[in-house]
Amino acid sequence: MPHKHAVYLLIAIVIGVIAGITSGWIWGETMVSIKWMGDLFLHALKLVILPLIVAAVISGICSLGDVRKLGKIGGITILYYASTTAIAVLIGLLVVNLIQPGVGMTELSQSIPEKVSGKEDMGFSQIVLSLVKPNLIEAGGSNQLLPIIFFCLLFAAALTTVGDKGKPVIAFFDGLNEAMMKVVIWLMYFAPLGIFALIAARLGMAGGGEAFFQEIKAVGLHVVTVLTGLTLHFCVLMAILWFVTGRGFAYLTGMGRALLTAFGTASSSATIPLTMECARENGVDPRATRFVIPLGATINMDGTALYESAAVMFIAQAYGIDMSISQQAIIFVTATLAAIGAAGIPEAGLVTMVIVLSAVNLPLEGIGLLLAVDWFLDRFRTTVNVWGDSVGAAVIDRVIKRSS
Ligand code: ASP
């Protein structure tokens, strides 16, 4: 896509976001009637994810050539994911300890919300098990991307070892990837309208601006805490980007369409196609975009990790339960795992928070305190999640270019 088009499209999406917020705020529930337009955009994005990921991961891994190279790049990718997620959790703990948003809350929730009931025994083993599924078609059908990526990694690694016989197969996936990226470019033109409808309808479902404002007020300090933490982490990622790659503001605006789509859809998985296309337009090596972005969208969730640590501490403060340093260390570890385990879909972080709460014996009922504003904070944390993947792709791009 020519550069000028990208700028126009970004401006159109920004207008879509502003128009969505304004009309949802003013007209409230009336705007739910245009939800279908947003859903249509979302369905189209989800439709391309599966063939796109399969083609991108396989052709991306194969283009690295050597399995040993994959080991090195994979290692650095995991190191980047782990360290940035850890920084995010630390920032979450820092802001929640400083602001203390839960202290003095009087209206506490008494029952476990429907969203998490039945998930009370969720644990670490479920996260590991979600990596490998016995039925690939079923995993694809229910949009469980991690097992698909895991299979593609194995398949691609094997393909690189079978010599000439593997070449036509690799060429097939290369071609499929190119065609899917073309489809993504076409879909991008619908983003302004789709994002407008998604935001307006969601705000409408919350009852419009006035009603939503009252809900936010009840847990206002929690919202301030999470947004402060997310802003800080966004800046930390920006600093990492600048320090490691020398890229700066231009990369941020170049990724703008993906970041706003993340905000509009609250789903890092649904945003994968745009994240990949924007990174590609920004000159990120395809070997980095094809592998790092799909994997990052499923396991690298800095915003979610930050949110989980801050929200769990908020619940502890609200129920008047003191959290020692060692308990906060447990929150640090489990929030990281819970973020890895969260799927890239709306409000997934709220469900995996059960792992963190159970680890430090906090009441699961506390999740009830977060429900009313979770959809709103979800949009911000998903944007940070996608920004984390975008910076990761730029970092790995640097590593690949330096070593070749
Ligand atoms: N909605 C987030 C994402 O898709 C996950 C979450 O934190 O709920 O990245």
Side-chain angles (χ1 to χ4, degrees), residues 1 45 48 52 179-189 272-278:
M1 185 187 292
L45 285 180
V48 297
L52 177 67
M180 290 315 301
M181 291 313 283
K182 249 290 158 342
V183 175
V184 173
I185 292 176
W186 293 337
L187 283 183
M188 260 196 198
Y189 289 102
I272 292 174
L274 274 92
T275 318
M276 288 178 74
E277 176 54 25
C278 289

Coordinates of all heavy atoms in Angstrom, one line a residue, residues 1 45 48 52 179-189 272-278:
M1 N 0.9 -1.2 0.0 CA 0.0 0.0 0.0 C 0.9 1.2 0.0 O 1.8 1.3 0.8 CB -0.9 0.0 1.3 CG -1.9 1.1 1.3 SD -2.7 1.1 2.9 CE -3.7 -0.4 2.8
L45 N -12.0 -10.2 9.7 CA -10.7 -10.3 10.2 C -10.4 -11.8 10.7 O -9.4 -12.4 10.4 CB -10.5 -9.4 11.4 CG -10.3 -7.9 11.1 CD1 -10.1 -7.1 12.4 CD2 -9.1 -7.7 10.1
V48 N -9.7 -14.5 8.1 CA -8.4 -14.6 7.4 C -7.3 -15.1 8.3 O -6.3 -15.5 7.9 CB -8.0 -13.3 6.7 CG1 -8.9 -12.9 5.6 CG2 -7.8 -12.2 7.7
L52 N -3.9 -17.2 7.2 CA -2.8 -16.3 7.3 C -1.7 -16.8 8.2 O -0.6 -16.8 7.9 CB -3.3 -14.9 7.7 CG -2.3 -13.8 7.9 CD1 -1.6 -13.5 6.6 CD2 -2.8 -12.6 8.6
A179 N -0.9 -14.0 -1.0 CA -2.3 -13.8 -1.3 C -3.1 -13.3 -0.1 O -4.0 -12.4 -0.1 CB -2.9 -15.1 -1.9
M180 N -2.8 -13.9 1.1 CA -3.6 -13.6 2.3 C -3.3 -12.1 2.7 O -4.1 -11.4 3.2 CB -3.2 -14.5 3.5 CG -3.7 -15.9 3.3 SD -5.5 -16.1 2.8 CE -6.3 -15.2 4.1
M181 N -2.0 -11.7 2.5 CA -1.7 -10.3 2.8 C -2.4 -9.3 1.9 O -2.8 -8.2 2.3 CB -0.1 -10.1 2.8 CG 0.7 -10.8 3.8 SD 0.0 -10.6 5.5 CE 0.5 -9.0 5.9
K182 N -2.6 -9.8 0.7 CA -3.4 -8.9 -0.2 C -4.8 -8.7 0.3 O -5.4 -7.6 0.3 CB -3.5 -9.6 -1.6 CG -2.7 -8.9 -2.7 CD -3.3 -7.7 -3.2 CE -2.5 -6.6 -3.9 NZ -1.2 -6.5 -4.0
V183 N -5.4 -9.9 0.7 CA -6.8 -9.8 1.3 C -6.8 -8.8 2.5 O -7.7 -8.0 2.7 CB -7.2 -11.2 1.7 CG1 -8.6 -11.2 2.4 CG2 -7.3 -12.2 0.5
V184 N -5.8 -8.9 3.3 CA -5.7 -8.0 4.5 C -5.7 -6.6 4.1 O -6.4 -5.7 4.7 CB -4.4 -8.4 5.3 CG1 -4.3 -7.3 6.5 CG2 -4.5 -9.8 5.9
I185 N -5.0 -6.2 3.0 CA -4.9 -4.9 2.6 C -6.3 -4.4 2.1 O -6.7 -3.3 2.5 CB -3.9 -4.7 1.4 CG1 -2.5 -4.9 1.9 CG2 -4.0 -3.3 0.7 CD1 -1.4 -4.9 0.9
W186 N -7.0 -5.3 1.5 CA -8.4 -4.9 1.1 C -9.3 -4.7 2.3 O -10.1 -3.7 2.3 CB -9.0 -6.0 0.2 CG -8.4 -6.2 -1.1 CD1 -7.6 -5.2 -1.8 CD2 -8.4 -7.4 -2.0 NE1 -7.2 -5.7 -3.0 CE2 -7.6 -7.0 -3.1 CE3 -8.9 -8.6 -1.9 CZ2 -7.4 -8.0 -4.2 CZ3 -8.7 -9.5 -2.9 CH2 -7.9 -9.2 -4.0
L187 N -9.1 -5.6 3.2 CA -10.0 -5.5 4.5 C -9.7 -4.2 5.2 O -10.6 -3.7 5.9 CB -9.7 -6.7 5.4 CG -10.3 -8.0 5.0 CD1 -10.1 -9.0 6.1 CD2 -11.8 -7.9 4.9
M188 N -8.5 -3.8 5.2 CA -8.1 -2.6 5.9 C -9.0 -1.4 5.6 O -9.2 -0.5 6.4 CB -6.7 -2.2 5.6 CG -5.7 -2.6 6.6 SD -4.2 -1.7 6.3 CE -3.0 -2.8 7.2
Y189 N -9.5 -1.3 4.4 CA -10.2 -0.1 4.0 C -11.6 -0.1 4.7 O -12.2 0.9 4.7 CB -10.5 -0.1 2.4 CG -9.2 0.2 1.7 CD1 -8.4 -0.8 1.1 CD2 -8.7 1.5 1.7 CE1 -7.2 -0.5 0.5 CE2 -7.5 1.8 1.1 CZ -6.8 0.8 0.5 OH -5.6 1.1 -0.1
I272 N -4.2 -9.4 14.5 CA -3.0 -10.0 13.9 C -2.8 -9.6 12.4 O -1.7 -9.1 12.0 CB -2.9 -11.6 14.0 CG1 -2.8 -12.0 15.4 CG2 -1.8 -12.1 13.1 CD1 -2.9 -13.5 15.6
P273 N -3.8 -9.7 11.5 CA -3.6 -9.4 10.1 C -3.1 -7.9 10.0 O -2.2 -7.7 9.2 CB -5.0 -9.5 9.5 CG -5.7 -10.5 10.4 CD -5.2 -10.2 11.8
L274 N -3.7 -7.0 10.7 CA -3.2 -5.6 10.5 C -1.9 -5.4 11.2 O -1.1 -4.6 10.6 CB -4.3 -4.6 11.2 CG -5.4 -4.3 10.2 CD1 -6.6 -5.2 10.4 CD2 -5.9 -2.9 10.4
T275 N -1.6 -6.0 12.3 CA -0.3 -5.8 12.9 C 0.8 -6.3 11.9 O 1.8 -5.6 11.7 CB -0.2 -6.7 14.2 OG1 -1.4 -6.5 14.9 CG2 1.0 -6.2 15.1
M276 N 0.5 -7.4 11.3 CA 1.5 -8.0 10.3 C 1.7 -7.0 9.1 O 2.8 -6.8 8.7 CB 1.1 -9.4 9.8 CG 1.3 -10.4 10.9 SD 0.7 -12.0 10.4 CE 2.0 -12.5 9.3
E277 N 0.6 -6.5 8.6 CA 0.7 -5.7 7.4 C 1.4 -4.4 7.7 O 2.2 -3.9 7.0 CB -0.7 -5.4 6.8 CG -0.8 -4.5 5.6 CD 0.1 -4.8 4.5 OE1 0.5 -6.0 4.3 OE2 0.5 -3.9 3.7
C278 N 1.0 -3.7 8.9 CA 1.7 -2.5 9.3 C 3.2 -2.7 9.5 O 4.0 -1.8 9.0 CB 1.0 -1.9 10.5 SG -0.6 -1.3 10.3

